[in-house]
Amino acid sequence: MTKFQVLTEIAAHQPNVRQKEIAAKIGITPQAVSEYIKELTAEGLIHSDGRVRYKITKDGVEWVLDNASELKRYSQLVMEDIISHVSTWTAICDEAITKEDKVYIEMRKGLLYANRSRDTGIYGTAIMAGEKGYDIGVTDLKGYMHIETESITICKIPRIKRGGSSFTNLDRLRPIVESKPYIGAVGTEALMALKRVGITPDVMFGATESVIQAAYHGLSSAVVIVEDEVSFFMARLESESIPYEIMDLSKTGK
């Protein structure tokens, strides 16, 4: 963790690295920072251009991305396995539930549901009464909920200068978005392309972050996105280790 912090601080402040500032920010001594810098240099993760000039290397960037994904998965494990017994989770009632009932929990389409009879292997205690179809709080969860990260289908469409929604292959777009439970749109052209096939997106503003969270909650999605935003989105998905496929839906796309 400390090595990760030192390297990310170097990346954030390169090329002029102030060891005292890094030490103060992450809570270690300047001498310790110096030792970490020596180690990172030896491993080829940073390169020195002088006494206090350091730059992160390509290998260093890849190391940060790999470890960032591992840390995120670990934090999710902590939240799911360790913190859950002292947390209150929100679930939707599959049936009428009374306070103190033992309830079983399952996730469907990214949302938690609670019932009293269908054993899912994950259970807790209702902290309130609730009617069917409404929310209750559940605490003291036991069991492990394994959620596969779902893939995201990227539907790339042209910007308006290349035709926008009118130059989008709607015959290919329609079956993709009709088969996905969660749809995001990035760009006005994307919104209009969806309108042409009779689909209202679930989210437009902040759509890329939203579909990423949907994927982590086991919800498959498609994001219709203008072409010049695709590379940034793909880089984000790769850094999060989220599987994806990309479809070029311009009328000249393959």
Side-chain angles (χ1 to χ4, degrees), residues 113-127:
Y113 287 81
N115 75 90
R116 293 180 299 170
S117 55
R118 188 169 59 256
D119 189 348
T120 62
I122 307 164
Y123 59 91
T125 302
I127 64 171

Side-chain angles (χ1 to χ4, degrees), residues 10-195:
I10 291 172
H13 298 96
Q14 62 183 357
N16 295 314
V17 176
R18 298 178 182 273
Q19 297 183 16
K20 288 184 178 180
E21 291 181 0
I22 294 176
K25 185 166 184 178
I26 66 178
I28 62 176
T29 66
Q31 291 79 9
V33 173
S34 178
E35 289 302 315
Y36 275 110
I37 287 176
K38 290 177 183 178
E39 181 180 336
L40 292 166
T41 303
E43 293 176 0
L45 302 182
I46 59 174
H47 171 73
S48 175
D49 289 334
R51 186 169 176 269
V52 293
R53 294 178 61 84
Y54 296 92
K55 289 184 179 180
I56 188 169
T57 64
K58 181 177 180 293
D59 288 342
V61 172
E62 292 176 354
W63 189 90
V64 167
L65 292 176
D66 288 344
N67 282 275
S69 297
E70 287 298 320
L71 287 170
K72 184 162 188 174
R73 281 191 285 270
Y74 178 72
S75 65
Q76 288 178 325
L77 176 65
V78 169
M79 291 300 296
E80 292 168 3
D81 275 3
I82 300 173
I83 306 300
S84 63
H85 71 282
V86 296
S87 299
T88 298
W89 298 74
T90 305
I92 300 170
C93 298
D94 276 335
E95 57 187 298
I97 290 172
T98 59
K99 185 178 180 179
E100 303 296 336
D101 275 350
K102 176 181 178 180
V103 293
Y104 295 98
I105 299 295
E106 66 178 325
M107 181 169 282
R108 302 197 300 268
K109 294 184 177 181
L111 298 173
L112 291 178
Y113 287 81
N115 75 90
R116 293 180 299 170
S117 55
R118 188 169 59 256
D119 189 348
T120 62
I122 307 164
Y123 59 91
T125 302
I127 64 171
M128 62 184 71
E131 299 177 17
K132 181 178 180 179
Y134 289 90
D135 53 322
I136 61 167
V138 180
T139 191
D140 197 24
L141 282 185
K142 302 291 192 303
Y144 175 67
M145 183 181 298
H146 177 68
I147 302 171
E148 290 287 347
T149 300
E150 279 288 349
S151 65
I152 296 173
T153 300
I154 303 172
C155 301
K156 182 173 75 170
I157 68 167
R159 273 292 192 185
I160 194 64
K161 63 185 178 182
R162 293 208 311 116
S165 67
S166 62
F167 206 67
T168 297
N169 190 326
L170 302 179
D171 290 335
R172 293 182 66 201
L173 175 63
R174 183 178 288 105
I176 295 172
V177 295
E178 287 180 346
S179 68
K180 299 292 183 178
Y182 196 70
I183 307 298
V186 178
T188 303
E189 297 92 335
L191 183 64
M192 293 300 102
L194 287 167
K195 183 177 181 179

